[in-house]
Amino acid sequence: MIFKSKANKAMDKMEDPRETLDYSYSKQLELLQKVRRGVADVATSRKRLELQLARLQQESDKLRNQAQQALGMGREDLAREALTRRSGLEQQIADLTAQHAALQAEEEKLTLAAQRLQARVEAFRTKKETIKATYTAAEAQTRVSEAVTGISEELGDVGMAVQRAEDKTAELQARAGAVDELLASGALEDVTGTAKDDITLELERLASTSDVELELAKMKAQIGAGPAAAGALEGGAAAAAAAPSAPAAIEPAEVVQAAPGAADPAAAEAAKPEGGQS
Amino acid sequence: MIVRILGEGQYRIAPEKLPDLNEIDREVEQAIAARDEAAFRDALGRLLAEVHEGGTPLADDVFVESDLVLPGPDAGLDDVAAMLDDEGLLPG
């Protein structure tokens, strides 16, 4: 199970081994940049995930409130619908929370890798200058290949850590994109409150219906007490308008109903002679 | 003897420790062959603990190649199995 590391043979080609040191050092700086970018990328992904989680949580809380409101209005069906949607969201939240923890662990590891590499690269730079100052090109060979091999193993290790973090981040970004789409699709209401979902609309309709009922009940009470007693101009006018309009509404209906009734005997009479002939 | 733990760095360890390491390493290999996650995690944990306890971390300015390279503590069974298949673990 114990692995043997692969030495980097690519650098042996250089004529002056001291050039190899500079080449290796430039590679180290490149990798250090890459690791730092990696840390920043992971942090960005993590923050995006945190924003999404907050939005999903808000949405979930809202659905729970809606369920309570609906239940208070005696609409168990609506409450059930809200809770069903909420359980779907809760599943998403649980998944994303687990991913968030994994990403955070990755970020910590990469941060440590960056610190370790930074210390190693700095030490290498000192070593490189010492070797260049102390040895001739011919003498430097062994020292150089030792140092370069030693650090390239480190680079390989850190390189793998960056790769792993990049893979995980890419995977998560695809996933985060899907959640963004879900949040935008209207399956979840935009938390800015510009769009209204169907449960909100239904609750508002219920609320306004009960407002109308309340207003009607008030008006009826006022009419019952008599227009004079109510005293309010508005109430009096409403009662006056309502009183004549009610019988008027019935009359046309009777007329319409009477019309087909009147036509029927005529049709029957018209049919009679025919029946008599046959 | 120099041992690298991936993601951690290098340790210098007395050669006398090698038989112990080899013994635990055999258990890790068996666990991988058996796809036994629990046994794998346990054996890998003991293997790394052995290095941590018996070894001394190398200073930053010591640049030497490792004699052994071990996976890190959170390496997955599949990852390690893939590394074994690949034989050349560290890219050059």
Side-chain angles (χ1 to χ4, degrees):
Chain A
M1 205 281 297
I2 292 175
F3 313 104
K4 194 78 191 81
S5 66
K6 247 194 269 176
N8 190 349
K9 302 288 180 219
M11 293 179 200
D12 291 352
K13 284 176 271 168
M14 303 239 171
E15 288 193 1
D16 185 342
R18 291 175 301 184
E19 281 174 30
T20 309
L21 288 174
D22 290 330
Y23 177 74
S24 173
Y25 182 65
S26 73
K27 287 281 156 199
Q28 293 162 31
L29 291 179
E30 261 177 45
L31 182 63
L32 195 55
Q33 278 303 104
K34 204 176 164 195
V35 178
R36 287 179 180 149
R37 263 203 310 276
V39 173
D41 285 350
V42 175
T44 304
S45 266
R46 174 180 53 77
K47 282 174 199 155
R48 184 179 180 192
L49 210 54
E50 281 164 8
L51 283 176
Q52 288 188 326
L53 270 169
R55 283 185 67 174
L56 288 172
Q57 193 56 59
Q58 248 177 313
E59 202 63 31
S60 170
D61 292 347
K62 193 190 80 183
L63 282 167
R64 186 214 283 273
N65 288 339
Q66 285 182 332
Q68 254 158 5
Q69 223 179 317
L71 215 52
M73 289 174 167
R75 285 291 305 270
E76 194 177 323
D77 59 325
L78 211 53
R80 190 180 301 278
E81 175 62 26
L83 290 178
T84 305
R85 287 184 201 178
R86 183 170 179 270
S87 85
L89 281 190
E90 287 295 308
Q91 185 55 50
Q92 287 265 12
I93 290 172
D95 287 355
L96 288 186
T97 303
Q99 296 204 5
H100 180 259
L103 207 58
Q104 213 161 21
E106 211 58 52
E107 191 180 344
E108 277 163 26
K109 264 190 281 178
L110 214 52
T111 305
L112 279 177
Q115 285 166 357
R116 185 161 56 101
L117 186 62
Q118 161 112 38
R120 296 286 269 167
V121 169
E122 271 164 22
F124 186 91
R125 189 174 54 84
T126 309
K127 187 127 198 156
K128 167 174 88 84
E129 294 313 320
T130 309
I131 292 174
K132 277 162 81 173
T134 316
Y135 302 96
T136 63
E139 290 169 337
Q141 185 65 64
T142 321
R143 313 263 166 185
V144 168
S145 76
E146 212 178 69
V148 169
T149 307
I151 191 94
S152 75
E153 193 184 290
E154 190 85 49
L155 302 186
D157 184 2
V158 173
M160 285 204 306
V162 180
Q163 188 57 51
R164 218 178 19 240
E166 274 176 1
D167 290 350
K168 207 159 268 180
T169 309
E171 203 179 287
L172 263 172
Q173 268 165 352
R175 175 74 196 263
V179 174
D180 274 345
E181 265 172 44
L182 182 67
L183 281 163
S185 72
L188 301 173
E189 186 213 343
D190 183 5
V191 285
T192 55
T194 44
K196 281 178 182 167
D197 63 277
D198 50 354
I199 294 182
T200 301
L201 287 174
E202 179 67 7
L203 283 172
E204 281 179 1
R205 198 185 61 73
L206 284 173
S208 71
T209 305
S210 70
D211 281 351
V212 168
E213 292 302 323
L214 206 67
E215 197 70 19
L216 278 174
K218 256 194 243 169
M219 286 176 179
K220 280 178 189 162
Q222 281 171 343
I223 293 164
L233 272 174
E234 212 184 316
S245 76
I250 294 162
E251 269 169 20
E254 275 172 355
V255 172
V256 171
Q257 263 186 333
D264 275 347
E269 265 173 50
K272 262 180 192 167
E274 249 180 80
Q277 271 180 348
S278 63
Chain B
M1 197 174 75
I2 306 296
V3 178
R4 173 182 293 278
I5 296 176
L6 290 176
E8 279 184 30
Q10 291 168 298
Y11 296 83
R12 189 182 302 279
I13 198 162
E16 300 89 76
K17 291 275 178 189
L18 195 56
D20 285 351
L21 288 180
N22 274 333
E23 174 55 30
I24 310 173
D25 180 56
R26 210 177 40 76
E27 292 179 42
V28 177
E29 274 186 2
Q30 280 174 349
I32 292 173
R35 316 285 309 163
D36 185 342
E37 179 76 39
F40 165 75
R41 205 121 299 285
D42 172 66
L44 181 61
R46 281 184 289 125
L47 184 62
L48 299 181
E50 192 80 8
V51 177
H52 288 148
E53 282 161 28
T56 41
L58 281 195
D60 286 337
D61 61 351
V62 178
F63 299 100
V64 286
E65 205 178 350
S66 302
D67 300 298
L68 309 171
V69 179
L70 303 177
D74 57 354
L77 195 153
D78 290 334
D79 297 334
V80 177
M83 286 173 186
L84 283 168
D85 286 345
D86 218 24
E87 93 170 69
L89 171 63
L90 298 172

